[in-house]
């Protein structure tokens, strides 16, 4: 990744009309319906954006969508890049840097995750308050990182306190039960063993998933305020673990997404 490459990606998008978005939104697995709320959408397929990570076959539908939601200009990532697809940390966070250069002032992130905290149930939404990086690397561990910002990035409060309060208030007002907790990121793509779920619980995780943390680290590098939510799609009870059903995970994400959309839409109105 070089500044020149980032500039070319940004130039391409600006030429296509991606004019001064205020908010960037990353949509997780099974969480694509939010794009139906974008007015006057303009799309750019990841494959067509210069220097974007080359999309894998299953990923051909990945695109950036620009438009307005609740009257504000947004840029939405429909589909993200994951480590488990073979990308590296710098690849998967490249779009965050591009959205930052386009001008976003805030970043919203979503994901599908397993509930490690057994007080939480599938179909719940968890506001991420903090995280544990179990992916064995960092998107900032590359030569020349200092040209892009501080190397030793502070992570004492990686999730924006003000937006967290706002989203809690929105949930209260709308009768949406919002859980709060710690998200642990793993590489995947295999799901966890019973022993690993026990470990995650001991470590203090409330939810586990295969994304989000690299993007959040880079957003902090860029001093971009973030709010992130997990849609809990399965219950990770090591004493009663059911075989994972990916179709069911996607179905739960689909069913739960309208609550997440409501939270995000109202948050857009308030910021
Ligand atoms: N583990 C990791 N990632 C996940 C899970 C899980 O249990 N559920 C949804 N994404």
């Amino acid at each position: 990744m070089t500044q020149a490459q980032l500039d070319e990606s940004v130039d391409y998008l600006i030429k296509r009309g991606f004019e001064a978005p205020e908010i960037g939104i990353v949509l997780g697995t099974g969480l694509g319906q939010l794009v139906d709320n974008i007015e006057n959408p303009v799309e750019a397929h990841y494959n067509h954006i210069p220097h974007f990570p080359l999309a894998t076959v299953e990923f051909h539908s990945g695109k950036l969508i620009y438009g307005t939601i609740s009257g504000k200009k947004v840029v939405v990532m429909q589909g993200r890049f994951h480590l488990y697809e073979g990308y590296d940390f710098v690849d998967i966070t490249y779009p965050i840097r591009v959205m930052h250069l386009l001008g976003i002032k805030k970043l919203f992130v979503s994901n599908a995750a397993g509930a490690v905290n057994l007080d939480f149930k599938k179909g719940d939404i968890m506001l991420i308050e903090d995280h544990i990086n179990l992916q064995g690397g960092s998107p900032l561990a590359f030569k020349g990182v200092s040209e892009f910002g501080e190397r030793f990035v502070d992570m004492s409060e990686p999730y924006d306190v003000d937006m967290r309060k706002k989203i809690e208030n929105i949930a209260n007002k709308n009768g949406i039960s919002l859980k709060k907790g710690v998200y642990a990121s793993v590489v995947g793509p295999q799901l966890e063993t019973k022993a690993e779920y026990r470990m995650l619980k001991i470590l203090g995780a409330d939810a586990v998933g295969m994304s989000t943390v690299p993007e959040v680290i880079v957003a902090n590098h860029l001093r971009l305020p973030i709010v992130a939510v997990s849609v809990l799609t399965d219950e990770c009870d090591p004493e009663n673990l059911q075989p994972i059903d990916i179709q069911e995970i996607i179905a739960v994400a689909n069913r739960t997404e309208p609550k997440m959309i409501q939270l995000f839409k109202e948050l857009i109105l308030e910021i």
Side-chain angles (χ1 to χ4, degrees):
M1 179 189 66
T2 64
Q3 189 61 47
Q5 288 174 331
L6 286 165
D7 290 342
E8 279 182 43
S9 303
V10 169
D11 285 348
Y12 172 87
L13 291 166
I14 290 176
K15 286 203 184 92
R16 291 188 66 86
F18 284 57
E19 192 56 51
E22 297 162 70
I23 298 162
I25 304 176
V26 182
L27 297 179
T29 304
L31 303 171
Q33 301 161 73
L34 181 127
V35 303
D36 300 335
N37 294 270
I38 306 175
E39 287 158 47
N40 304 317
V42 182
E43 296 182 356
H45 284 264
Y46 295 159
N47 285 356
H48 299 159
I49 307 171
H51 309 298
F52 248 55
L54 267 188
T56 55
V57 176
E58 72 232 56
F59 207 56
H60 61 278
S61 65
K63 56 194 172 193
L64 273 185
I65 308 170
Y66 170 87
T68 58
I69 298 181
S70 308
K72 294 218 171 71
K73 293 179 201 158
V74 299
V75 55
V76 178
M77 283 183 74
Q78 186 174 28
R80 60 146 65 82
F81 298 93
H82 297 91
L83 290 173
Y84 64 69
E85 294 165 294
Y87 301 107
D88 66 29
F89 280 99
V90 175
D91 289 336
I92 61 179
T93 50
Y94 187 88
I96 305 298
R97 295 185 182 278
V98 169
M99 291 194 289
H100 175 251
L101 286 171
L102 280 171
I104 63 166
K105 301 287 181 278
K106 307 260 193 288
L107 181 66
F108 296 7
V109 180
S110 62
N111 60 51
V116 173
N117 181 334
L118 298 177
D119 294 334
F120 300 173
K121 300 293 170 220
K122 63 178 173 184
D124 281 344
I125 295 189
M126 186 187 93
L127 178 65
I128 302 179
E129 294 190 308
D130 205 346
H131 72 225
I132 303 173
N133 178 8
L134 295 176
Q135 292 180 314
S138 164
L140 305 181
F142 65 93
K143 296 189 186 99
V145 67
S146 325
E147 290 160 33
F148 297 93
E150 171 69 43
R151 182 188 296 268
F152 300 103
V153 174
D154 175 56
M155 293 293 279
S156 55
E157 200 71 271
Y159 298 87
D160 186 71
V161 175
D162 180 54
M163 284 198 288
R164 271 158 51 193
K165 280 212 190 89
K166 286 196 163 74
I167 224 166
E168 280 192 71
N169 290 338
I170 292 165
N172 279 340
K173 214 173 56 195
N174 290 284
I176 296 172
S177 139
L178 185 69
K179 312 299 182 199
K180 294 185 280 180
V182 173
Y183 174 91
S185 66
V186 294
V187 175
Q190 75 285 351
L191 278 292
E192 287 69 38
T193 64
K194 289 180 274 229
E196 286 166 340
Y197 284 132
R198 279 186 207 107
M199 173 194 76
L200 288 165
K201 195 169 187 164
I202 291 166
L203 290 180
D206 296 295
V208 57
M210 305 173 191
S211 67
T212 301
V213 166
E215 290 117 311
V216 168
I217 293 171
V218 165
N220 275 271
H221 192 222
L222 299 168
R223 299 180 183 279
L224 197 53
I226 305 138
V227 71
V229 296
S230 289
V231 170
L232 303 179
T233 53
D234 54 299
E235 291 157 22
C236 308
D237 179 359
E239 310 319 320
N240 179 32
L241 192 60
Q242 306 302 314
I244 199 77
D245 177 347
I246 292 297
Q247 291 316 318
E248 168 72 359
I249 283 186
I250 292 171
V252 175
N254 282 325
R255 278 206 299 276
T256 311
E257 189 183 358
K259 287 195 280 188
M260 183 200 91
I261 292 174
Q262 191 174 6
L263 295 176
F264 276 8
K265 279 179 87 167
E266 295 206 19
L267 184 61
I268 291 171
L269 270 179
E270 288 191 16
I271 59 177

